[in-house]
Amino acid sequence: MFYHAYDSYLENAFPYDELRPLTCDGHDTWGSFSLTLIDALDTLLILGNVSEFQRVVEVLQDNVDFDIDVNASVFETNIRVVGGLLSAHLLSKKAGVEVEAGWPCSGPLLRMAEEAARKLLPAFQTPTGMPYGTVNLLHGVNPGETPVTCTAGIGTFIVEFATLSSLTGDPVFEDVARVALMRLWESRSDIGLVGNHIDVLTGKWVAQDSGIGAGVDSYFEYLVKGAILLQDKKLMAMFLEYNKAIRNYTRFDDWYLWVQMYKGTVSMPVFQSLEAYWPGLQSLIGDIDNAMRTFLNYYTVWKQFGGLPEFYNIPQGYTVEKREGYPLRPELIESAMYLYRATGDPTLLELGRDAVESIEKISKVECGFATIKDLRDHKLDNRMESFFLAETVKYLYLLFDPTNFIHNNGSTFDAVITPYGECILGAGGYIFNTEAHPIDPAALHCCQRLKEEQWEVEDLMREFYSLKRNRSRFQKKTMSSGPWQPPAGPGTTSSENQDGTREKRPTKQKIPLLSCPSQPFTSKLALLGQVFLDSS
C-alpha cells in the first residue's frame, strides 16, 4: 500500500505537495514544500528502506526553500514540515546517513526545521501570545489576516518547538509554545471547558462549542505528549483537569458529544472521525477500560461504512449531510496501535485487517489511493492527503510489526559521543507528534550542556562589559576631579569629612570575571573546543 501510493506520488506529483490520484498529477496544498515527501520520510525508515531515506534527505536539502511568498497554515506547517524534518533528523544516524560533528545538536535537516519554524514565529506576536492561523513565509502576517484561530491551531506546538529549543539551544520556540498553552488554559470557562475558535487579539471566544474533535483535538493531545516528552507535571495536571470536565459534561454512554462551553448543554450530538484519537490518548494516561469501551463504539461505525465518516449522528446512527466523506484518516488505526501495545487484545488486530481490506477495496486506483467522497456509495475524490503516508499506513504497519525499532522497550540503545558528552539515543519511548512523526525523548537531553553553557557565557560576557563600562566611567570621573587618591586600605573606600579627616567604609571588591581581551559574543567564541556562531 505504501509503495503504490509513494511511487505514484514520485512519478506523477513531485515536486508538488500532494498527489491527485484520479488525474495522475500533483498540486500544492499547504505551501509548496513537496509536502508528501517530507511527511513520508520517517515512514520509509520504519519500513526499513534506508537507501530511499538517504536519497530523499539529499533531495530535500537541494529542493526545499522556505523563503517564498506563500501564505501557509501555521499549524499544518508545524506538524507536517517542522515535525517531519525533526523526526528525520533524529533518525538520520539509524538510517545510515553520514552525520556531521555535533549531531544531533546540528545537521542539515535540523537547520531546515529551524528555518521553517522561524518563519512561523511572527504569527505569535499578538497581545495574547496566541498565534494567527496563517502566516506569509516571506512577509510575516498579512495586514488583513483574520485574528480568529481554532484551539488546536494555538495549542499544538509544544512537542516540535520544545524539541527544537532543546536541540538548537534557542529557548524562543519553547517559550512561545508555552505562552500559547497557558493563554488557552487561562481562557477556559468556569466549568473547565474550552471552545472551538478564539480571537487571538482579544482572547474572546468566537465559537463556543466544546468537544474533543475537530478544532480542539491536538490541544489535549499535546498537553499529554508534552507532559511525557518534557516530564512536565504541570502540563499533565492541566490535562487531567480538562479530562474531569470532559467526562462530566461531554461524555454519554462512552460517546463524546459537543456542548456549550459555559453551560454544558448539548449543542451537537455527533461523533467526528477526528475524535477517534481519544482512546489512544486515554491509553497513554493508563485509562485502558474507558479507552476500550469508546474504541469499540467507534469501531461499530467503521464496520457500518467501511470507514469513518467525517460526522456521524449518534442518535440517528447515520452520516450527517455533506459530511459523509472519509479522507483516509488515521485516528482510529492510531488508537488501535496504542491500545494493542497496552493490551494485546486481538480485536484491535481485526480493526487493522478491516482497515487494510476496505482501503484497498474502496480507494485504491491506478495512481495511488483516493479520498472517499461519500461512504454511502463509495464515490471518490481526486485527492490523497500527505497524512495517508505519514500516519495511516505507518500506524497500520506498526500495529502488525511488534518488533519494529519504534516499539523498543529500552533493551537496546545507541551511545552517541557528542562534543558535550555521551548521549543515549534509540532506547524507545518515542513520542509521536500529531502527524505521527516520532520524536526520541532522549535526544532532548543531548544538547543540554551546550544550551546551558551558551547562556552562561552570554551572562559572563554581559557582566564583563558592564564592569568594563563602569571602570571607564570611573577613570573619566577621577581624571576630571583632580589627582587620584589611593584608598585607605584594602577592601575600603574613603571620603573626606568636613573637619578634613578621612572616613573609612568597607566595600565589596569587584573582580572582573574575564580578564583577557574578548570579541563580542555576536562574532565568535570558542568554548571547550566548540565554536559558537551567532545564527540570528
Side-chain angles (χ1 to χ4, degrees):
M1 288 170 71
F2 175 84
Y3 287 113
H4 177 64
Y6 179 75
D7 292 344
S8 294
Y9 167 76
L10 288 182
E11 289 163 18
N12 300 291
F14 178 78
Y16 291 104
D17 278 343
E18 287 180 0
L19 169 70
R20 296 202 300 178
L22 301 184
T23 50
C24 298
D25 57 9
H27 65 152
D28 283 332
T29 52
W30 295 113
S32 190
F33 306 128
S34 301
L35 188 62
T36 297
L37 205 56
I38 295 174
D39 243 358
L41 186 49
D42 52 43
T43 311
L44 283 166
L45 184 60
I46 285 170
L47 268 60
N49 193 338
V50 294
S51 58
E52 182 64 3
F53 182 100
Q54 293 168 10
R55 186 188 75 82
V56 171
V57 167
E58 291 184 17
V59 168
L60 292 176
Q61 288 177 62
D62 294 341
N63 290 281
V64 175
D65 180 16
F66 299 115
D67 208 22
I68 49 177
D69 188 4
V70 164
N71 295 324
S73 163
V74 180
F75 169 81
E76 299 289 354
T77 304
N78 176 55
I79 67 170
R80 303 191 196 212
V81 178
V82 178
L85 291 170
L86 280 175
S87 180
H89 164 71
L90 292 174
L91 293 171
S92 291
K93 197 176 181 75
K94 182 173 274 296
V97 174
E98 192 171 331
V99 296
E100 61 186 49
W103 181 89
C105 309
S106 65
L109 294 178
L110 177 60
R111 287 189 285 276
M112 287 175 70
E114 184 181 3
E115 184 189 353
R118 284 199 188 281
K119 295 288 187 180
L120 306 181
L121 288 179
F124 290 82
Q125 292 171 8
T126 64
T128 63
M130 295 188 282
Y132 284 95
T134 305
V135 69
N136 184 284
L137 299 179
L138 202 57
H139 306 298
V141 178
N142 289 325
E145 182 59 43
T146 174
V148 178
T149 306
C150 72
T151 303
I154 293 165
T156 310
F157 293 92
I158 192 68
V159 169
E160 298 84 1
F161 276 28
T163 300
L164 204 49
S165 283
S166 294
L167 295 178
T168 63
D170 189 339
V172 66
F173 302 106
E174 183 173 344
D175 288 349
V176 298
R178 282 189 180 276
V179 167
L181 282 177
M182 287 311 300
R183 291 299 87 82
L184 280 175
W185 172 249
E186 291 161 4
S187 303
R188 70 196 188 283
S189 71
D190 290 341
I191 61 173
L193 296 173
V194 288
N196 207 276
H197 284 75
I198 196 168
D199 187 314
V200 301
L201 299 181
T202 65
K204 294 226 166 66
W205 289 103
V206 176
Q208 297 180 2
D209 291 313
S210 186
I212 59 169
V216 186
D217 48 5
S218 49
Y219 169 47
F220 295 138
E221 181 186 353
Y222 271 42
L223 287 176
V224 173
K225 290 182 175 178
I228 297 169
L229 182 70
L230 303 170
Q231 295 294 291
D232 189 315
K233 291 178 182 176
K234 189 173 182 182
L235 293 182
M236 186 60 82
M238 288 159 65
F239 174 77
L240 294 175
E241 199 63 34
Y242 277 129
N243 198 30
K244 280 184 208 163
I246 289 164
R247 279 205 307 265
N248 287 342
Y249 294 101
T250 75
R251 182 179 168 193
F252 295 87
D253 292 333
D254 298 311
W255 294 94
Y256 292 85
L257 312 183
W258 288 81
V259 301
Q260 211 282 341
M261 66 177 286
Y262 292 104
K263 301 172 187 173
T265 51
V266 175
S267 57
M268 288 191 298
V270 299
F271 155 61
Q272 298 177 348
S273 62
L274 281 168
E275 295 170 15
Y277 78 98
W278 188 256
L281 194 64
Q282 287 177 303
S283 79
L284 283 178
I285 62 167
D287 192 4
I288 303 297
D289 291 342
N290 285 323
M292 279 300 291
R293 284 199 293 271
T294 299
F295 176 87
L296 292 171
N297 277 349
Y298 297 167
Y299 185 22
T300 61
V301 180
W302 182 287
K303 287 197 278 196
Q304 187 177 348
F305 295 101
L308 289 186
E310 293 287 69
F311 282 29
Y312 178 80
N313 188 305
I314 297 166
Q316 293 177 2
Y318 208 64
T319 58
V320 175
E321 190 179 355
K322 295 184 181 172
R323 293 287 189 275
E324 305 93 347
Y326 171 55
L328 309 180
R329 291 198 188 280
E331 281 76 16
L332 191 63
I333 300 158
E334 172 186 355
S335 284
M337 193 273 294
Y338 278 111
L339 282 168
Y340 186 66
R341 297 300 304 168
T343 67
D345 188 328
T347 307
L348 299 152
L349 295 181
E350 290 174 21
L351 175 277
R353 179 200 61 201
D354 290 350
V356 169
E357 289 177 356
S358 61
I359 291 170
E360 280 272 311
K361 184 175 181 180
I362 301 169
S363 76
K364 188 174 183 179
V365 293
E366 186 182 346
C367 293
F369 291 86
T371 286
I372 299 163
K373 192 174 189 176
D374 193 330
L375 278 166
R376 297 170 302 175
D377 57 16
H378 295 164
K379 278 185 185 164
L380 300 178
D381 208 356
N382 193 21
R383 190 170 183 192
M384 186 184 82
E385 291 227 38
S386 68
F387 60 64
F388 179 67
L389 293 176
E391 299 185 79
T392 309
V393 174
K394 181 185 290 164
Y395 283 131
L396 278 171
Y397 192 84
L398 289 172
L399 174 63
F400 291 113
D401 184 11
T403 60
N404 196 280
F405 75 86
I406 287 289
H407 298 315
N408 185 7
N409 61 5
S411 53
T412 62
F413 58 87
D414 298 316
V416 180
I417 304 299
T418 76
Y420 325 108
E422 189 175 58
C423 181
I424 301 300
L425 290 174
Y430 291 92
I431 304 296
F432 286 100
N433 86 334
T434 196
E435 190 78 1
H437 295 305
I439 300 293
D440 187 341
L444 273 66
H445 305 282
C446 288
C447 315
Q448 205 71 31
R449 258 184 70 193
L450 163 64
K451 182 167 68 174
E452 287 168 358
E453 285 169 358
Q454 186 167 329
W455 292 343
E456 190 179 332
V457 169
E458 284 177 321
D459 289 342
L460 288 171
M461 297 302 284
R462 278 192 212 99
E463 190 165 347
F464 170 66
Y465 284 112
S466 169
L467 289 168
K468 202 172 176 183
R469 278 195 298 273
N470 290 342
R471 194 185 306 137
S472 64
R473 278 196 216 106
F474 173 73
Q475 286 170 344
K476 284 177 188 172
K477 188 177 177 183
T478 53
M479 286 171 70
S480 62
S481 60
W484 176 67
Q485 299 285 338
T492 64
T493 57
S494 61
S495 61
E496 196 165 80
N497 294 327
Q498 287 178 341
D499 61 0
T501 60
R502 303 187 80 70
E503 178 188 328
K504 295 181 183 179
R505 64 176 185 268
T507 183
K508 287 183 181 176
Q509 279 188 297
K510 286 192 175 180
I511 301 168
L513 291 168
L514 298 174
S515 56
C516 56
S518 178
Q519 298 177 346
F521 190 84
T522 47
S523 50
K524 276 185 185 178
L525 180 69
L527 178 69
L528 301 178
Q530 176 70 12
V531 176
F532 294 94
L533 297 174
D534 179 56
S535 60
S536 60

